[in-house]
C-alpha cells in the first residue's frame, strides 16, 4: 500500500514547485506625513543564498507600493517584484475545468475532473464519477478493461497523470487560500544572491495612511507677567493601519504640504479597440445595358499639384530612471527642517501593533509668551483672553488644537480653555484666544467728517479739495486689572490710517495699547482725499448774463443769478473752514467779495424793479381813468 495523504494534497502534488528561499523583513522605521502618506522602511539581514524577500501589505496599498518601492541590496541585485493578481480566484481558475466552489468537498472536486487520468495505488483509469458513501468516498474509474469502483478512505492517494494540470490546480489552491484574506496581498521581491556572507537588505515604499493628528498642551504664565515663558508640549495621535505590527520602530512625524496622488496601476487596464469586421467577397452588382449616349468633349486637363507627406520624426524615448540606493539612516534628532517641511523623529523606539491607535509626545519647548486681551470685533462688549506665543525654535510648529492650562497663582494646573494653533513658522508669533473676559468692558463708536484743504476756481463753479476722515473711538474699562490690549481694526479700502499699525493681515490692521486699572479712551482715524463742486449760478442758465430785465420773474429768476439763493452763504461757510495757508484761499476771498457786491446790486435791482413795476401800474390806472372820463 502507498502512504496515505489527504486527497486534496494528493491531487495538487503532481509536480513539485520550487519555492524561493524567502526572508521576511520586519518594519524598522515609519514616517507619517501630514499629506496622508506613510513611508515604511523594512530592513534586516538575509542569508547568503536568499533569493527573495516577502511581506504582506493591505490591498489598498498595492498601487502606492508598485509606484514607490525602492530596494537596496549592497551585495546582490534586484530582479523584480511579484504578487498575485488583483482578482485572485478569477485569474487562477481561468481555463481550468474546476471552479472555486468545486473545492467544497472531495466528491465535487473529483466530479469536476471527470475524464482526467488518475492513479489510485496500482489502479489507473479516467474518472467517471465520485460520491460520498459509507464508509468513505466511492470513486468510479474507466479503465482499459471496464469500470472499476474504488472505496477510498480519508487518506487514500489519488494522483493526476497530467503534471501540467496538477501544477495549475496547485496554484489555484494557493490562490483560493489567499482569497480567504482578500484584504491583503503577499509581496515577493526577487533577488539575485551575491557571493559572501549574510548581508543587510533594506526596502522602503510610500502608502496611504491616516493623518497623524497633533495636539498641544500649553501652560501659560499669569496675566501681566513681563518676559515670561509658556511650556508647549506636543502630542501626536498615530494609527497603525498597515496590517503589520510596528515593533521597536523609529517613528518620524512630518509636517508639510507635499503633493500626493493615487493611480490604479494594480488594476488591469484593457484599452478599447475598434472592431474590424471580417472581410469576405464583395457582392457583385450588375446593371443592365441601356445603350450608348452622345459623349461631350472632355474639358482641358489641369495639372494637379502633388503634395508629399514626410513621416513625423519619432519622439526620443526618455532614458530610464535609475533608482538610487537607499540613503543611509539619518541620526536621531528632535526636529529636522527643510524647505516647507519639518520632521519630528522620536528619540525612543515605538511599538504599535496593527490596528492600534497611540498618542505619543513629540515636542517639549519653552517659548516666550505674554497674556493679553484681544478684541477682534468692534461690536463685542468684552475682549478675549489670549496669549501671544513666539516660535523661537529653528523649525515650524504644525497646527492643531491646544488645551490651555494655567501655571501660576490661582490658575496653576487649572484648565483655562481651548485654542486653535495654526501653523507657526520659526521667528513668528501667533495669538491664541482661549476664553472671554467679562471683567473688561469695551464700547466702540464711529464718526466721519470732511475738512476743506484747498479750492480752485473754475468756470461756473468752485472746486473744493476735501480731506475726509473716519474715526473709531473705543472706550475701555479694565476694572482693577492692567495689561496689553490688542485690537483688530478693519482695513478701509482707499483710506490711509493716521496711526501706525503693529501688524496687518487677514485680520485687518492690528494695534496695541497698554491699559492701566482705569477707564481709557482710544482714538484711531483714517483719511482720504475727496472733491466737491459748488456752482456759482443756476446750472440751467447757459450764461450768467441775464435776459432782458422786463422778462424776469423777480421772485424766481433773480435768485438763479450769481450770488442768488444760498450760494454766497455756502462760499462764506467754506471760507470760514478753509485753513489760512490752503491753496486757492486768496481767490476764494476775492470771489466772496465779488459775490457780496453782486448780491448788494441784485438786492438794489430788485427794489428798483419793484418800484418801477408799481409806477407803471399807477400810470396804467391813470391812463385808464382818463380814457374812461373822455370816452
Amino acid at each position: 500500500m502507498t502512504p496515505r495523504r489527504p486527497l486534496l494534497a494528493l491531487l495538487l502534488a503532481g509536480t513539485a514547485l520550487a519555492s524561493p528561499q524567502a526572508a521576511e523583513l520586519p518594519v524598522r522605521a515609519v514616517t507619517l506625513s501630514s499629506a496622508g502618506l506613510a513611508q515604511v522602511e523594512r530592513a534586516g539581514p538575509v542569508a547568503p543564498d536568499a533569493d527573495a524577500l516577502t511581506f504582506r501589505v493591505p490591498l489598498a496599498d498595492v498601487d502606492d507600493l508598485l509606484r514607490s518601492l525602492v530596494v537596496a541590496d549592497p551585495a546582490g541585485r534586484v530582479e523584480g517584484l511579484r504578487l498575485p493578481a488583483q482578482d485572485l480566484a478569477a485569474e487562477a481558475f481561468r481555463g481550468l475545468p474546476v471552479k472555486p466552489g468545486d473545492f467544497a468537498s472531495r466528491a465535487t472536486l473529483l466530479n469536476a475532473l471527470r475524464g482526467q487520468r488518475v492513479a489510485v495505488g496500482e489502479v489507473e483509469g479516467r474518472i467517471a464519477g465520485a460520491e460520498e458513501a459509507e464508509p468513505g468516498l466511492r470513486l468510479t474509474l474507466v479503465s482499459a478493461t471496464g469500470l472499476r469502483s474504488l472505496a477510498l478512505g480519508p487518506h487514500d492517494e489519488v494522483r493526476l497523470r497530467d503534471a501540467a494540470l496538477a501544477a495549475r490546480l496547485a496554484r489555484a489552491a494557493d490562490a483560493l487560500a489567499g482569497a480567504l484574506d482578500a484584504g491583503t496581498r503577499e509581496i515577493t521581491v526577487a533577488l539575485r544572491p551575491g557571493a559572501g556572507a549574510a548581508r543587510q537588505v533594506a526596502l522602503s515604499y510610500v502608502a496611504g495612511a491616516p493623518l497623524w493628528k497633533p495636539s498641544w498642551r500649553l501652560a501659560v504664565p499669569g496675566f501681566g507677567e513681563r518676559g515670561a515663558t509658556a511650556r508647549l508640549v506636543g502630542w501626536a495621535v498615530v494609527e497603525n493601519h498597515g496590517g503589520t505590527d510596528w515593533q521597536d520602530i523609529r517613528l518620524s512625524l512630518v509636517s508639510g504640504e507635499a503633493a500626493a496622488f493615487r493611480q490604479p496601476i494594480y488594476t488591469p487596464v484593457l484599452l478599447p479597440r475598434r472592431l474590424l469586421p471580417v472581410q469576405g467577397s464583395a457582392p457583385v452588382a450588375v446593371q443592365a445595358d441601356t445603350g450608348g449616349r452622345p459623349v461631350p468633349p472632355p474639358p482641358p486637363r489641369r495639372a494637379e499639384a502633388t503634395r508629399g507627406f514626410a513621416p513625423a520624426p519619432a519622439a526620443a524615448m526618455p532614458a530610464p530612471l535609475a533608482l538610487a540606493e537607499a540613503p543611509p539612516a539619518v541620526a536621531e534628532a528632535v526636529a529636522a527642517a527643510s524647505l516647507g517641511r519639518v520632521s519630528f523623529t522620536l528619540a525612543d523606539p515605538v511599538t504599535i501593533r496593527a490596528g492600534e491607535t497611540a498618542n505619543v509626545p513629540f515636542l517639549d519647548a519653552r517659548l516666550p509668551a505674554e497674556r493679553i486681551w484681544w478684541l477682534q470685533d468692534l461690536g463685542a462688549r468684552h475682549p478675549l483672553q489670549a496669549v501671544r506665543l513666539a516660535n523661537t525654535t529653528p523649525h515650524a510648529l504644525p497646527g492643531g488644537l491646544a488645551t490651555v492650562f494655567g501655571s501660576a497663582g490661582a490658575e496653576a494646573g487649572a484648565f483655562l480653555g481651548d485654542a486653535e494653533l495654526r501653523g507657526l513658522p520659526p521667528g513668528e508669533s501667533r495669538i491664541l484666544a482661549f476664553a472671554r473676559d467679562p471683567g473688561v468692558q469695551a464700547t466702540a463708536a464711529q464718526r466721519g467728517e470732511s475738512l476743506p484743504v484747498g479750492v480752485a476756481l473754475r468756470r461756473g463753479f468752485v472746486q473744493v479739495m476735501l480731506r475726509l476722515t473716519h474715526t473709531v473711538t473705543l472706550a475701555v474699562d479694565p476694572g482693577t486689572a492692567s495689561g496689553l490690549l490688542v485690537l483688530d481694526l478693519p482695513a478701509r479700502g482707499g483710506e490711509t490710517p493716521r496711526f501706525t499699525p503693529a501688524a496687518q493681515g487677514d485680520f485687518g490692521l492690528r494695534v496695541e495699547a497698554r491699559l492701566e486699572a482705569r477707564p481709557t479712551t482710544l482714538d484711531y482715524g483714517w483719511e482720504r482725499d475727496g472733491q466737491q463742486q459748488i456752482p456759482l449760478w443756476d446750472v440751467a442758465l447757459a450764461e450768467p448774463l441775464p435776459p432782458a430785465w422786463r422778462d424776469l420773474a423777480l421772485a424766481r429768476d433773480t435768485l438763479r443769478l450769481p450770488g442768488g439763493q444760498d450760494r454766497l452763504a455756502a462760499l462764506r461757510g467754506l471760507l470760514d473752514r478753509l485753513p489760512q495757508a490752503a491753496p486757492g484761499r486768496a481767490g476764494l476771498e476775492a470771489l466772496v467779495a465779488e459775490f457780496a457786491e453782486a448780491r448788494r446790486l441784485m438786492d438794489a435791482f430788485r427794489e428798483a424793479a419793484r418800484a418801477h413795476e408799481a409806477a407803471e401800474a399807477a400810470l396804467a390806472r391813470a391812463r385808464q381813468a382818463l380814457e374812461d372820463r373822455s370816452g
Side-chain angles (χ1 to χ4, degrees):
M1 292 293 292
T2 58
R4 294 175 177 268
R5 290 182 292 173
L7 176 61
L8 183 58
L10 295 175
L11 284 170
L12 303 180
T15 59
L17 299 178
S19 61
Q21 298 295 323
E24 175 78 22
L25 285 188
V27 177
R28 293 302 187 199
V30 175
T31 300
L32 296 178
S33 168
S34 58
L37 298 173
Q39 183 174 354
V40 182
E41 300 179 23
R42 294 173 177 264
V46 298
D49 59 344
D51 57 2
L53 304 172
T54 63
F55 56 95
R56 298 191 72 86
V57 298
L59 178 61
D61 294 345
V62 175
D63 286 329
D64 291 327
L65 183 140
L66 291 175
R67 69 176 177 86
S68 64
L69 179 67
V70 177
V71 183
D73 186 356
R77 191 174 70 183
V78 180
E79 293 188 337
L81 179 148
R82 300 291 185 272
L83 73 160
Q86 188 178 50
D87 191 342
L88 296 174
E91 295 298 330
F93 284 86
R94 191 186 303 277
L96 285 177
V98 298
K99 301 183 296 297
D102 295 332
F103 282 81
S105 66
R106 297 181 300 172
T108 56
L109 182 58
L110 289 171
N111 284 323
L113 294 172
R114 286 192 180 100
Q116 297 295 329
R117 191 170 184 82
V118 298
V120 180
E122 301 298 332
V123 179
E124 292 190 13
R126 296 186 181 275
I127 300 176
E131 60 179 352
E132 296 288 348
E134 293 295 338
L137 178 72
R138 182 164 296 280
L139 177 64
T140 303
L141 300 180
V142 179
S143 64
T145 59
L147 295 178
R148 293 287 302 271
S149 180
L150 306 175
L152 303 180
H155 300 288
D156 284 333
E157 180 181 15
V158 178
R159 300 186 302 277
L160 282 171
R161 288 306 190 185
D162 188 341
L165 176 61
R168 293 192 61 192
L169 283 175
R171 290 195 295 269
D174 290 340
L176 193 60
L180 297 178
D181 187 9
T184 63
R185 289 293 184 271
E186 183 178 69
I187 308 298
T188 300
V189 180
L191 305 173
R192 176 169 294 183
R199 63 193 189 277
Q200 287 282 338
V201 177
L203 60 85
S204 69
Y205 56 90
V206 177
L211 285 174
W212 71 276
K213 296 170 282 292
S215 59
W216 302 94
R217 283 73 167 158
L218 178 61
V220 298
F223 194 87
E225 293 186 27
R226 303 277 186 97
T229 60
R231 184 183 181 188
L232 183 66
V233 180
W235 286 67
V237 175
V238 179
E239 291 132 334
N240 179 5
H241 286 191
T244 303
D245 291 344
W246 297 345
Q247 183 69 35
D248 294 332
I249 65 165
R250 185 182 73 251
L251 180 61
S252 298
L253 308 173
V254 172
S255 176
E257 295 185 4
F261 300 96
R262 294 191 63 185
Q263 191 175 52
I265 56 180
Y266 184 43
T267 303
V269 178
L270 301 178
L271 295 178
R273 293 177 293 169
R274 185 170 61 92
L275 180 62
L276 187 64
V278 177
Q279 298 293 335
S281 298
V284 179
V286 179
Q287 294 184 359
D289 185 9
T290 58
R293 300 177 63 183
V295 179
R301 304 191 61 179
R302 299 169 57 185
E304 295 182 358
T306 59
R307 179 179 301 173
F309 293 90
M317 295 297 293
L321 297 176
L323 288 177
E325 292 186 357
V330 298
E332 288 187 352
V334 174
S338 59
L339 291 177
R341 182 179 183 273
V342 59
S343 174
F344 300 93
T345 301
L346 304 187
D348 298 325
V350 175
T351 297
I352 305 175
R353 292 184 297 181
E356 278 189 345
T357 297
N359 196 11
V360 294
F362 66 93
L363 180 68
D364 191 347
R366 293 277 182 177
L367 304 178
E370 182 181 9
R371 291 275 294 276
I372 62 173
W373 290 304
W374 189 15
L375 196 60
Q376 295 178 308
D377 183 7
L378 292 176
R381 183 176 180 182
H382 306 289
L384 299 170
Q385 288 193 43
V387 58
R388 180 157 53 191
L389 203 64
N391 182 9
T392 54
T393 67
H395 51 78
L397 300 178
L401 182 65
T403 305
V404 182
F405 300 92
S407 63
E411 294 179 341
F415 168 71
L416 302 183
D418 289 332
E420 181 186 5
L421 174 63
R422 294 290 181 91
L424 183 54
E428 295 191 9
S429 62
R430 292 287 188 273
I431 298 178
L432 281 68
F434 52 85
R436 190 174 298 280
D437 191 346
V440 180
Q441 299 191 55
T443 303
Q446 304 185 48
R447 68 181 186 276
E449 59 183 357
S450 62
L451 176 67
V453 294
V455 295
L457 303 183
R458 300 287 186 262
R459 181 176 178 80
F461 65 91
V462 175
Q463 183 172 343
V464 186
M465 279 69 76
L466 299 175
R467 183 68 46 79
L468 306 177
T469 61
H470 181 88
T471 305
V472 172
T473 300
L474 182 69
V476 187
D477 184 2
T480 59
S482 300
L484 182 67
L485 172 67
V486 174
L487 173 63
D488 288 345
L489 298 170
R492 301 180 62 88
E495 300 184 6
T496 303
R498 296 192 296 183
F499 54 91
T500 302
Q504 59 184 19
D506 297 336
F507 45 79
L509 303 179
R510 180 166 290 170
V511 294
E512 301 178 0
R514 184 71 60 177
L515 303 181
E516 302 300 333
R518 61 177 180 272
T520 305
T521 300
L522 306 172
D523 288 328
Y524 302 96
W526 292 260
E527 63 183 24
R528 65 180 177 89
D529 294 333
Q531 293 184 356
Q532 180 186 5
Q533 293 182 356
I534 300 178
L536 300 181
W537 57 78
D538 196 321
V539 295
L541 294 177
E543 291 291 338
L545 298 177
W549 69 270
R550 292 180 179 275
D551 298 332
L552 289 176
L554 294 181
R556 183 193 68 216
D557 293 342
T558 55
L559 296 179
R560 299 170 59 190
L561 300 178
Q565 288 187 338
D566 57 350
R567 291 179 181 82
L568 181 58
L571 294 176
R572 283 174 172 169
L574 174 61
L575 184 62
D576 293 340
R577 298 170 56 209
L578 193 66
Q580 290 293 332
R585 180 180 173 88
L588 181 61
E589 290 176 346
L591 180 65
V592 169
E594 292 176 1
F595 265 41
E597 178 63 17
R599 183 65 173 269
R600 186 188 66 78
L601 294 175
M602 188 173 7
D603 291 341
F605 165 74
R606 273 198 294 265
E607 292 297 329
R610 291 193 183 97
H612 180 75
E613 288 179 349
E616 282 193 338
L619 180 59
R621 290 194 298 272
R623 286 175 177 172
Q624 185 66 38
L626 180 60
E627 291 176 357
D628 291 343
R629 287 196 299 270
S630 62

Short mmCIF file of all heavy atoms in Angstrom, two decimals, residues 10-53:
data_model
loop_
_atom_site.label_atom_id
_atom_site.label_comp_id
_atom_site.label_asym_id
_atom_site.label_seq_id
_atom_site.Cartn_x
_atom_site.Cartn_y
_atom_site.Cartn_z
N LEU A 10 -2.95 15.27 -2.46
CA LEU A 10 -2.51 14.35 -3.49
C LEU A 10 -2.89 14.85 -4.86
O LEU A 10 -2.14 14.72 -5.83
CB LEU A 10 -3.13 12.97 -3.24
CG LEU A 10 -2.69 12.27 -1.95
CD1 LEU A 10 -3.46 10.97 -1.77
CD2 LEU A 10 -1.20 12.00 -1.97
N LEU A 11 -4.08 15.42 -4.97
CA LEU A 11 -4.50 15.93 -6.27
C LEU A 11 -3.61 17.06 -6.74
O LEU A 11 -3.39 17.23 -7.93
CB LEU A 11 -5.94 16.41 -6.18
CG LEU A 11 -7.01 15.31 -6.17
CD1 LEU A 11 -8.36 15.93 -5.84
CD2 LEU A 11 -7.05 14.57 -7.49
N LEU A 12 -3.10 17.84 -5.81
CA LEU A 12 -2.33 19.01 -6.18
C LEU A 12 -0.83 18.77 -6.13
O LEU A 12 -0.05 19.69 -6.27
CB LEU A 12 -2.67 20.17 -5.24
CG LEU A 12 -4.16 20.54 -5.20
CD1 LEU A 12 -4.37 21.70 -4.25
CD2 LEU A 12 -4.67 20.85 -6.59
N ALA A 13 -0.42 17.53 -5.95
CA ALA A 13 1.00 17.23 -5.81
C ALA A 13 1.58 16.58 -7.05
O ALA A 13 2.52 15.81 -6.98
CB ALA A 13 1.23 16.33 -4.59
N GLY A 14 1.00 16.85 -8.21
CA GLY A 14 1.50 16.25 -9.43
C GLY A 14 2.90 16.70 -9.74
O GLY A 14 3.69 15.94 -10.26
N THR A 15 3.25 17.96 -9.46
CA THR A 15 4.60 18.47 -9.68
C THR A 15 5.04 19.19 -8.43
O THR A 15 4.24 19.77 -7.70
CB THR A 15 4.62 19.45 -10.86
OG1 THR A 15 3.74 20.52 -10.59
CG2 THR A 15 4.25 18.77 -12.16
N ALA A 16 6.31 19.18 -8.19
CA ALA A 16 6.89 19.87 -7.03
C ALA A 16 7.34 21.24 -7.50
O ALA A 16 8.17 21.36 -8.38
CB ALA A 16 8.05 19.08 -6.47
N LEU A 17 6.78 22.31 -6.90
CA LEU A 17 7.13 23.67 -7.26
C LEU A 17 8.23 24.15 -6.34
O LEU A 17 8.11 24.09 -5.12
CB LEU A 17 5.91 24.60 -7.12
CG LEU A 17 4.72 24.24 -8.02
CD1 LEU A 17 3.57 25.20 -7.74
CD2 LEU A 17 5.12 24.26 -9.48
N ALA A 18 9.31 24.61 -6.97
CA ALA A 18 10.44 25.10 -6.18
C ALA A 18 10.10 26.46 -5.61
O ALA A 18 9.80 27.40 -6.34
CB ALA A 18 11.69 25.20 -7.06
N SER A 19 10.12 26.62 -4.31
CA SER A 19 9.85 27.90 -3.67
C SER A 19 11.15 28.57 -3.33
O SER A 19 12.11 27.91 -2.92
CB SER A 19 9.02 27.68 -2.40
OG SER A 19 9.74 26.88 -1.50
N PRO A 20 11.24 29.90 -3.51
CA PRO A 20 12.48 30.58 -3.24
C PRO A 20 12.78 30.62 -1.74
O PRO A 20 11.90 30.48 -0.90
CB PRO A 20 12.21 31.99 -3.78
CG PRO A 20 10.72 32.14 -3.71
CD PRO A 20 10.17 30.79 -3.95
N GLN A 21 14.06 30.81 -1.46
CA GLN A 21 14.47 30.99 -0.08
C GLN A 21 14.13 32.42 0.31
O GLN A 21 14.91 33.35 0.12
CB GLN A 21 15.98 30.73 0.05
CG GLN A 21 16.40 29.32 -0.32
CD GLN A 21 15.81 28.30 0.64
OE1 GLN A 21 15.70 28.55 1.84
NE2 GLN A 21 15.41 27.14 0.13
N ALA A 22 12.89 32.61 0.81
CA ALA A 22 12.39 33.96 1.06
C ALA A 22 12.66 34.35 2.49
O ALA A 22 12.60 33.53 3.41
CB ALA A 22 10.90 34.04 0.77
N ALA A 23 12.98 35.62 2.69
CA ALA A 23 13.20 36.18 4.02
C ALA A 23 12.16 37.25 4.28
O ALA A 23 11.83 38.05 3.40
CB ALA A 23 14.60 36.79 4.12
N GLU A 24 11.61 37.26 5.49
CA GLU A 24 10.61 38.24 5.89
C GLU A 24 11.34 39.41 6.55
O GLU A 24 11.97 39.26 7.60
CB GLU A 24 9.60 37.63 6.86
CG GLU A 24 8.59 38.62 7.41
CD GLU A 24 7.48 38.95 6.43
OE1 GLU A 24 7.24 38.14 5.51
OE2 GLU A 24 6.86 40.01 6.58
N LEU A 25 11.27 40.60 5.95
CA LEU A 25 11.94 41.78 6.50
C LEU A 25 10.98 42.51 7.44
O LEU A 25 9.87 42.87 7.04
CB LEU A 25 12.38 42.72 5.39
CG LEU A 25 13.59 42.31 4.56
CD1 LEU A 25 13.99 43.44 3.64
CD2 LEU A 25 14.75 41.92 5.44
N PRO A 26 11.38 42.77 8.66
CA PRO A 26 10.50 43.48 9.58
C PRO A 26 10.51 44.99 9.31
O PRO A 26 11.41 45.53 8.68
CB PRO A 26 11.11 43.17 10.96
CG PRO A 26 12.57 42.96 10.67
CD PRO A 26 12.65 42.34 9.30
N VAL A 27 9.49 45.66 9.81
CA VAL A 27 9.40 47.11 9.72
C VAL A 27 10.38 47.71 10.73
O VAL A 27 10.37 47.37 11.91
CB VAL A 27 7.97 47.60 9.99
CG1 VAL A 27 7.90 49.12 9.96
CG2 VAL A 27 7.01 47.02 8.96
N ARG A 28 11.22 48.62 10.25
CA ARG A 28 12.23 49.26 11.11
C ARG A 28 11.92 50.74 11.35
O ARG A 28 12.29 51.27 12.39
CB ARG A 28 13.62 49.14 10.47
CG ARG A 28 14.13 47.72 10.41
CD ARG A 28 14.20 47.10 11.77
NE ARG A 28 14.83 45.78 11.77
CZ ARG A 28 14.70 44.89 12.73
NH1 ARG A 28 13.93 45.16 13.77
NH2 ARG A 28 15.31 43.72 12.66
N ALA A 29 11.29 51.40 10.39
CA ALA A 29 11.02 52.83 10.53
C ALA A 29 9.76 53.17 9.76
O ALA A 29 9.48 52.59 8.71
CB ALA A 29 12.20 53.66 10.03
N VAL A 30 9.01 54.13 10.28
CA VAL A 30 7.81 54.63 9.64
C VAL A 30 7.83 56.15 9.75
O VAL A 30 8.06 56.71 10.82
CB VAL A 30 6.52 54.07 10.29
CG1 VAL A 30 5.28 54.72 9.68
CG2 VAL A 30 6.47 52.56 10.15
N THR A 31 7.60 56.82 8.62
CA THR A 31 7.50 58.27 8.58
C THR A 31 6.08 58.63 8.15
O THR A 31 5.66 58.32 7.03
CB THR A 31 8.50 58.88 7.59
OG1 THR A 31 9.83 58.52 8.01
CG2 THR A 31 8.39 60.39 7.56
N LEU A 32 5.34 59.23 9.05
CA LEU A 32 3.96 59.63 8.78
C LEU A 32 3.95 61.09 8.34
O LEU A 32 4.56 61.95 8.99
CB LEU A 32 3.08 59.45 10.02
CG LEU A 32 2.92 58.01 10.51
CD1 LEU A 32 2.07 57.98 11.77
CD2 LEU A 32 2.29 57.14 9.44
N SER A 33 3.24 61.36 7.24
CA SER A 33 3.22 62.70 6.66
C SER A 33 1.85 63.33 6.83
O SER A 33 0.83 62.63 6.86
CB SER A 33 3.58 62.63 5.17
OG SER A 33 3.31 63.85 4.53
N SER A 34 1.84 64.65 6.92
CA SER A 34 0.57 65.37 7.00
C SER A 34 -0.16 65.37 5.68
O SER A 34 -1.28 65.88 5.59
CB SER A 34 0.81 66.82 7.45
OG SER A 34 1.69 67.48 6.56
N ALA A 35 0.45 64.79 4.62
CA ALA A 35 -0.23 64.64 3.34
C ALA A 35 -1.05 63.36 3.28
O ALA A 35 -1.59 63.03 2.22
CB ALA A 35 0.79 64.65 2.20
N GLY A 36 -1.14 62.62 4.39
CA GLY A 36 -1.91 61.39 4.41
C GLY A 36 -1.16 60.21 3.85
O GLY A 36 -1.77 59.29 3.29
N LEU A 37 0.17 60.19 3.98
CA LEU A 37 1.01 59.12 3.48
C LEU A 37 1.92 58.62 4.59
O LEU A 37 2.19 59.32 5.56
CB LEU A 37 1.86 59.59 2.29
CG LEU A 37 1.11 60.07 1.05
CD1 LEU A 37 2.07 60.66 0.04
CD2 LEU A 37 0.32 58.93 0.43
N ALA A 38 2.39 57.39 4.40
CA ALA A 38 3.36 56.79 5.31
C ALA A 38 4.50 56.21 4.49
O ALA A 38 4.26 55.45 3.55
CB ALA A 38 2.72 55.70 6.18
N GLN A 39 5.73 56.57 4.83
CA GLN A 39 6.90 55.96 4.21
C GLN A 39 7.38 54.85 5.15
O GLN A 39 7.84 55.12 6.26
CB GLN A 39 8.00 56.99 3.97
CG GLN A 39 9.21 56.40 3.27
CD GLN A 39 10.24 57.45 2.91
OE1 GLN A 39 10.00 58.65 3.10
NE2 GLN A 39 11.38 57.03 2.41
N VAL A 40 7.24 53.62 4.69
CA VAL A 40 7.56 52.44 5.50
C VAL A 40 8.92 51.91 5.08
O VAL A 40 9.17 51.71 3.88
CB VAL A 40 6.47 51.35 5.34
CG1 VAL A 40 6.79 50.15 6.21
CG2 VAL A 40 5.10 51.92 5.68
N GLU A 41 9.79 51.69 6.04
CA GLU A 41 11.13 51.15 5.77
C GLU A 41 11.24 49.79 6.46
O GLU A 41 10.97 49.66 7.65
CB GLU A 41 12.21 52.10 6.28
CG GLU A 41 12.16 53.47 5.65
CD GLU A 41 13.23 54.40 6.20
OE1 GLU A 41 14.25 53.87 6.72
OE2 GLU A 41 13.04 55.63 6.15
N ARG A 42 11.61 48.79 5.66
CA ARG A 42 11.87 47.46 6.17
C ARG A 42 13.34 47.14 5.94
O ARG A 42 13.88 47.43 4.86
CB ARG A 42 11.00 46.42 5.47
CG ARG A 42 9.50 46.56 5.74
CD ARG A 42 8.69 45.61 4.88
NE ARG A 42 7.27 45.67 5.16
CZ ARG A 42 6.62 44.84 5.98
NH1 ARG A 42 7.30 43.87 6.60
NH2 ARG A 42 5.33 44.96 6.18
N ALA A 43 13.97 46.52 6.90
CA ALA A 43 15.39 46.23 6.76
C ALA A 43 15.75 45.07 7.70
O ALA A 43 15.06 44.80 8.69
CB ALA A 43 16.24 47.45 7.10
N GLY A 44 16.82 44.39 7.33
CA GLY A 44 17.30 43.29 8.16
C GLY A 44 18.31 42.44 7.42
O GLY A 44 18.50 42.58 6.21
N PRO A 45 19.00 41.56 8.14
CA PRO A 45 19.97 40.67 7.49
C PRO A 45 19.27 39.53 6.75
O PRO A 45 18.23 39.04 7.18
CB PRO A 45 20.79 40.15 8.68
CG PRO A 45 19.85 40.20 9.84
CD PRO A 45 18.95 41.37 9.60
N VAL A 46 19.84 39.13 5.63
CA VAL A 46 19.34 37.98 4.88
C VAL A 46 20.48 37.01 4.64
O VAL A 46 21.66 37.39 4.63
CB VAL A 46 18.73 38.42 3.53
CG1 VAL A 46 17.55 39.35 3.75
CG2 VAL A 46 19.76 39.12 2.66
N ALA A 47 20.12 35.74 4.47
CA ALA A 47 21.13 34.70 4.28
C ALA A 47 21.84 34.88 2.94
O ALA A 47 21.30 35.49 2.01
CB ALA A 47 20.46 33.33 4.35
N PRO A 48 23.05 34.33 2.80
CA PRO A 48 23.78 34.48 1.54
C PRO A 48 23.01 33.92 0.34
O PRO A 48 23.13 34.45 -0.76
CB PRO A 48 25.09 33.74 1.78
CG PRO A 48 25.24 33.70 3.27
CD PRO A 48 23.86 33.63 3.83
N ASP A 49 22.25 32.84 0.56
CA ASP A 49 21.55 32.23 -0.57
C ASP A 49 20.11 32.70 -0.70
O ASP A 49 19.33 32.15 -1.48
CB ASP A 49 21.56 30.70 -0.42
CG ASP A 49 20.90 30.26 0.89
OD1 ASP A 49 20.73 31.12 1.79
OD2 ASP A 49 20.56 29.06 1.01
N ALA A 50 19.70 33.71 0.07
CA ALA A 50 18.32 34.20 -0.02
C ALA A 50 18.09 34.85 -1.38
O ALA A 50 18.86 35.71 -1.81
CB ALA A 50 18.05 35.20 1.10
N ASP A 51 17.06 34.39 -2.07
CA ASP A 51 16.77 34.93 -3.39
C ASP A 51 15.42 35.63 -3.46
O ASP A 51 14.91 35.92 -4.54
CB ASP A 51 16.80 33.81 -4.43
CG ASP A 51 15.83 32.68 -4.09
OD1 ASP A 51 15.10 32.81 -3.07
OD2 ASP A 51 15.79 31.69 -4.82
N ALA A 52 14.81 35.94 -2.29
CA ALA A 52 13.53 36.64 -2.30
C ALA A 52 13.27 37.24 -0.93
O ALA A 52 13.76 36.74 0.09
CB ALA A 52 12.38 35.71 -2.69
N LEU A 53 12.52 38.30 -0.93
CA LEU A 53 12.01 38.93 0.29
C LEU A 53 10.49 38.93 0.19
O LEU A 53 9.93 39.20 -0.87
CB LEU A 53 12.50 40.38 0.42
CG LEU A 53 14.01 40.61 0.40
CD1 LEU A 53 14.30 42.10 0.35
CD2 LEU A 53 14.67 39.99 1.61
#
